[in-house]
């Protein structure tokens, strides 16, 4: 059974750097084709894809946020970490991590299982 | 940047058929995926690779594709189907994108 859980601060100040950790179980991020991504959702608004890291350490970022994001993995700990610099109030959102499956060793570009999300508020 | 366009809302009575469209220039070449999100909950995958249904998803949910438009159909909509629905795809460089979401209201 695959599970994912997001953790990190619930409140950050403007200009600070946000660090979120996704701890997962039920799969290995060293399996060919597998990925873990981050998606956020401001209150009452739509989902926004942020970043994704693959089994081979290949990384993808949202073009609009690329300069502020870094995604890394620790396969031995079953964790993926997302950092976002220079936080501003509009970054207030629920942040989700999600599993991107493989299909015969090839990457599939979607998320089949999600964590519950963690609400991050940016305020002074 | 690549965009997916969805109608903001769709409403119908129980038992009717709901059709939610999603349009994007890359959809003829890239698969589309659909997620259901109920208030306060994480999204749930309901359709993948345009037409496939994950295990555990009711048969009343189906997907189709034609040119630059994909459609999520809920046949015989039930009160429990009231939710926001998001389409998602990826461009050729592996950048993911979500549509703005469609709110389905069951009257």
């Amino acid at each position: 059974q695959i599970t994912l859980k997001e953790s990190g601060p619930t409140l950050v100040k403007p200009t600070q750097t946000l660090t979120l950790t996704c701890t997962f179980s039920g799969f290995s991020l060293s399996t060919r084709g597998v990925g873990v991504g981050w998606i956020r959702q401001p209150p009452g608004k739509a989902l926004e894809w942020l970043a994704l890291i693959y089994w081979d350490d290949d990384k993808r970022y949202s073009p609009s946020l690329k300069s502020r994001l870094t995604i890394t993995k620790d396969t031995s700990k079953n964790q993926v970490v997302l950092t976002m610099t220079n936080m501003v109030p509009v970054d207030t959102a629920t942040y989700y991590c999600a599993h991107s499956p493989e299909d015969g060793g090839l990457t599939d570009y979607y998320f089949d299982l999600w964590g519950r999300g963690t609400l991050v508020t940016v305020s002074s | 940047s690549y965009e997916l366009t969805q109608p903001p809302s769709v409403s119908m009575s129980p038992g009717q058929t709901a059709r939610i469209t999603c349009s994007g220039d890359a959809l003829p070449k890239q698969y589309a995926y659909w997620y259901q999100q109920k208030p306060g909950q994480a999204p749930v995958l309901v359709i993948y690779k345009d037409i496939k249904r994950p295990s555990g998803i009711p048969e009343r949910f189906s997907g189709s594709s034609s040119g630059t438009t994909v459609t999520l159909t809920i046949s015989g909509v039930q009160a429990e189907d009231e939710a926001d629905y998001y389409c998602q795809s990826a461009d050729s460089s592996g950048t993911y994108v979500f549509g703005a979401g469609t709110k389905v209201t069951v009257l």
Side-chain angles (χ1 to χ4, degrees), chain B residues 29 60 78 88 107:
Chain B
K29 301 182 291 292
R60 64 180 180 274
Q78 300 182 6
Q88 177 251 309
L107 302 172

Side-chain angles (χ1 to χ4, degrees), chain B residues 73-92:
Chain B
T73 299
I74 311 173
S75 303
V77 70
Q78 300 182 6
E80 66 197 53
D81 301 329
E82 188 164 284
D84 293 326
Y85 291 83
Y86 294 90
C87 63
Q88 177 251 309
S89 188
D91 66 17
S92 57

Side-chain angles (χ1 to χ4, degrees), chain B residues 26-59:
Chain B
L27 289 179
K29 301 182 291 292
Q30 301 290 339
Y31 285 122
Y33 308 89
W34 291 94
Y35 303 88
Q36 176 195 67
Q37 187 182 33
K38 297 182 179 180
Q41 298 183 18
V44 172
L45 179 72
V46 294
I47 294 290
Y48 68 105
K49 293 186 176 179
D50 292 348
I51 61 172
K52 297 185 177 184
R53 192 173 54 249
S55 61
I57 300 301
E59 291 184 6

